[in-house]
Amino acid sequence: MTFQQRLILLVTGLVVLAVVAITAALAWTTQGALSARIETDARMAAGLLARAASQARDIPQDVEAMLGERLLSEAVLAAHLVALAETTAKQPAKAIADRLKQVAEQGGPDEIWITDNRGRAYLHNVPGPDPLFGQDAKGGPRHSAYTGLLNRSPATLVSDAAVEGGKLMKFAGVAGVDKPRIVQVGADVRRLADIAKKAGADGLIDALLATRAVEAAWLLDRDGRVVARGAVIGESGGGPLSDFGTETARTVALAGGDAVQVAADGGSLLALAPIKAAGSGAPAVAVVRLPGDEPGIMLRRQLKIGGLIGVFVLGLGGFLSVRFARDQMAPVERLSEAVKAVEAGRFNPFTLNEATERDDEFGRLSRVFRRMAMEATAREETLDAQLLMRGAELETKTEKLAIAEHILEEEQRAARDVQANLLPRQLPVGRDSQYYGALVPAHAVSGDFYDVIELDENRALLVTAGVSGGGVPAAFLMLMVRGAIRELARPDATPAAILTGANDRLCGESPFDGFATAFVAIYDRTTGAVQHAAAGHRGACRILADGTVEPLSEAGGPALGVRKGSPYGEATSVLGQDDALFLCTEGLLRSVDARREPFGEERLVALLQQSRGLSARDRAELVLRSVQAHAGPEGVAGDLVCLVLRRLLPVAEAAETV
């Protein structure tokens, strides 16, 4: 994928991510806000319905009571009017009846009845015979209730509204003010029924449903029976209240209190509010049901709108990103072509003219690249010429190096031959003792060696030595050390005297700045005594027949060739039957493994303890194999030298043999 394609993909991806994130955030917040609003509306609607239902019981009664008070006032006025007309104005009954008709027609009471002292209604505005306000409750129930006004027991009376002659009538009466009589007025209160209907439970529910804010509403009593209900026609709210809603309403009614509870009922939301002061059979709980799927519908709508906007923005963003990428990537493509041309060695500076004329970063980059490419081309030509010259010089030096390596190999071969020729060709043999010496030369000769010199028929001088450095200088030092020791090896010599003489000669005559370590021991095969001294040398051990290993390097002095006139000490050990003397050089102890851990004296002692009962040859070969296995071909530190002496007979038998 090219950089231009990645840039277009990045810009398009960011646009899509932004649109998706914004749409998701808006949808989530919208759904949350709608859910909260629906719950708030549900609580408000249920609370309002509960309060309205609580008040709906009192409003018609209060209105009817006000009508009763008004009728009583009109009855009192009618009583005074009749008294004035009859007593003061001396008006005939017919004139008074006509005036009562005018009062009724001009907005007064619908019916006016005035009786004499016997209860006969001789004055009234309603056409027909004169009724008798008597005691016959069956014949005139409305009139019989007002009979007590004749004797002012009671003085006033208001009856409840009742249907009479197809009308809803309400009557009020008072006792006469001038003589015993009944003054009754009545009014048509059909509007009171309308008020009761509108202000009642059904009216409240219808008014609530008219707002289209709820699907359905119910008023239930304490036993969960529906007192009043209403639903939006044609909507899902037309279904009845579920068993869950009924049971929840009964629980709310029994709990009482003022809190409005909200519960989810399938895909709808129920709000339940308790109604205070609810008697038996009266509404105790107001329940409203609102659609609960509106947030989901709004969420899907928001997602659809967001998807459409996302498609539009994605298309616009893709088009603009392609245009932008092509415009911005043009100099990059020119640079890419120029880089390929530079790699192919056919760069043309004029191909970047268009890119270098830009004023932005690409223009500066193009100018810098063209200058660098031209400099690189010139430098490459110069380097090619120098490379030819260096190649010729390298061939000459390679030839010289090959000659030098050949000379060095010849020197190493000569030094190795010298080292091999200086080793003793034959070691002493006898029934009382075994001798075995071995040398594994390193790639570059180190100059290590061993030697066995018979001083007389009973004593032999055993030597192991290693010199510093390698190659021809090491071989030369080895010759000097070996020659000095052999020259000083006389029958009356001691190991300390031999090392002292060899050290003085090496310090005074050696043309090289080197040194040597050595271990010298004089073995008496008659007594088994080993008189020994070390010059900075490690690895000498006495191995007892039971496998115990005793180091013998503590007696002696510094390495040979370090300091002239240095004193050397010596010590004596005795070899019994099957005891052995083991000597080696530093190369064996300093050989390291892959983790750079040297073989060391501890591993050597442990290995020698396992060599109990082995011959001198087997013991030496065991040690050499173990060192080579530990170090590998790359870890050997120098020549590997071992010299082993094993005593076979006890001291007494050796003396008899001699």
Side-chain angles (χ1 to χ4, degrees), residues 18-343:
V19 172
V20 171
I22 294 174
T23 302
L26 289 177
W28 181 74
T29 54
T30 301
Q31 184 184 20
L34 283 175
S35 299
R37 182 183 66 79
I38 290 174
E39 184 175 345
T40 302
D41 292 346
R43 292 179 181 274
M44 184 180 298
L48 289 175
L49 182 59
R51 287 193 293 271
S54 177
Q55 297 174 0
R57 298 189 305 269
D58 302 330
I59 291 176
Q61 297 176 2
D62 294 341
V63 172
E64 187 175 356
M66 292 175 61
L67 289 174
E69 293 176 357
R70 177 185 172 186
L71 289 175
L72 280 177
S73 301
E74 292 177 348
V76 172
L77 291 175
H80 283 280
L81 177 61
V82 171
L84 290 174
E86 288 183 343
T87 304
T88 305
K90 304 299 184 177
Q91 294 288 328
K94 186 176 182 308
I96 296 174
D98 293 340
R99 182 60 59 86
L100 292 177
K101 291 180 181 179
Q102 292 179 1
V103 171
E105 292 174 355
Q106 294 178 1
D110 294 323
E111 295 184 11
I112 302 176
W113 304 88
I114 301 173
T115 70
D116 55 14
N117 57 359
R118 294 190 302 275
R120 184 177 62 85
Y122 68 98
L123 294 176
H124 51 83
N125 67 324
V126 179
D130 298 337
L132 178 63
F133 285 73
Q135 298 294 330
D136 186 4
K138 294 182 179 180
R142 175 169 65 85
H143 302 310
S144 62
Y146 289 84
T147 321
L149 295 177
L150 292 175
N151 53 9
R152 304 187 69 84
S153 178
T156 61
L157 180 63
V158 179
S159 61
D160 295 333
V163 178
E164 184 175 330
K167 298 179 180 180
L168 183 62
M169 299 296 295
K170 186 175 181 63
F171 292 92
V174 297
V177 296
D178 56 342
K179 59 181 179 181
R181 68 169 75 211
I182 299 172
V183 179
Q184 184 189 62
V185 297
D188 187 356
V189 292
R190 287 176 297 179
R191 295 184 61 187
L192 181 62
D194 296 337
I195 293 174
K197 182 178 180 181
K198 293 180 180 179
D202 294 334
L204 292 174
I205 293 176
D206 292 340
L208 183 61
L209 295 177
T211 62
R212 312 291 289 186
V214 298
E215 290 181 347
W218 295 269
L219 293 176
L220 287 79
D221 60 12
R222 293 185 179 274
D223 296 329
R225 293 187 294 270
V226 177
V227 177
R229 73 174 300 276
V232 179
I233 299 175
E235 301 289 340
S236 60
L241 184 62
S242 64
D243 295 338
F244 169 76
T246 303
E247 186 63 28
T248 306
R250 187 182 295 113
T251 303
V252 172
L254 295 176
D258 299 327
V260 179
Q261 297 188 17
V262 178
D265 186 13
S268 302
L269 193 67
L270 295 179
L272 306 96
I275 300 174
K276 294 183 179 180
S280 177
V285 180
V287 182
V288 296
R289 183 167 64 195
L290 281 76
D293 58 348
E294 185 176 353
I297 296 174
M298 183 60 68
L299 177 61
R300 290 190 291 271
R301 186 181 305 166
Q302 289 284 346
L303 292 176
K304 289 181 180 178
I305 295 174
L308 294 176
I309 295 175
V311 171
F312 173 75
V313 173
L314 179 60
L316 180 61
F319 172 74
L320 294 178
S321 62
V322 170
R323 290 288 302 273
F324 174 78
R326 288 180 178 176
D327 181 64
Q328 296 299 318
M329 288 301 297
V332 177
E333 292 177 356
R334 301 287 83 78
L335 283 173
S336 178
E337 295 174 357
V339 170
K340 294 179 180 178
V342 170
E343 292 178 349

Side-chain angles (χ1 to χ4, degrees), residues 455 459 488-498 522 531:
L455 301 178
R459 295 190 305 158
L488 296 171
R490 294 185 295 271
D492 58 345
T494 63
I498 294 173
I522 296 177
Q531 189 178 8

Side-chain angles (χ1 to χ4, degrees), residues 296-472:
I297 296 174
M298 183 60 68
L299 177 61
R300 290 190 291 271
R301 186 181 305 166
Q302 289 284 346
L303 292 176
K304 289 181 180 178
I305 295 174
L308 294 176
I309 295 175
V311 171
F312 173 75
V313 173
L314 179 60
L316 180 61
F319 172 74
L320 294 178
S321 62
V322 170
R323 290 288 302 273
F324 174 78
R326 288 180 178 176
D327 181 64
Q328 296 299 318
M329 288 301 297
V332 177
E333 292 177 356
R334 301 287 83 78
L335 283 173
S336 178
E337 295 174 357
V339 170
K340 294 179 180 178
V342 170
E343 292 178 349
R346 48 182 177 81
F347 173 67
N348 184 1
F350 299 104
T351 58
L352 294 177
N353 287 344
E354 182 180 353
T356 55
E357 293 175 356
R358 297 172 62 106
D359 295 332
D360 55 7
E361 292 82 357
F362 289 117
R364 292 193 293 271
L365 179 61
S366 300
R367 290 190 291 272
V368 172
F369 177 80
R370 183 168 67 176
R371 184 174 65 252
M372 293 176 60
M374 295 175 65
E375 293 176 355
T377 302
R379 188 177 298 109
E380 184 177 0
E381 295 175 354
T382 303
L383 289 176
D384 289 340
Q386 293 178 353
L387 182 61
L388 293 175
M389 297 176 60
R390 295 293 186 273
E393 294 177 359
L394 183 59
E395 290 179 0
T396 302
K397 291 182 178 179
T398 302
E399 294 176 357
K400 294 181 179 179
L401 181 60
I403 296 173
E405 289 179 352
H406 179 71
I407 294 174
L408 181 60
E409 290 179 358
E410 292 295 332
E411 291 180 352
Q412 289 287 342
R413 187 179 300 107
R416 194 174 294 111
D417 292 341
V418 170
Q419 184 182 28
N421 292 328
L422 292 180
L423 296 178
R425 296 184 181 277
Q426 185 176 359
L427 298 179
V429 294
R431 194 169 59 86
D432 60 296
S433 302
Q434 282 182 348
Y435 294 87
Y436 184 78
L439 181 144
V440 180
H443 179 71
V445 178
S446 305
D448 294 357
F449 71 96
Y450 69 89
D451 201 358
V452 178
I453 304 169
E454 291 187 285
L455 301 178
D456 54 33
E457 61 181 4
N458 291 326
R459 295 190 305 158
L461 178 67
L462 286 73
V463 180
T464 56
V467 298
S468 62
V472 175

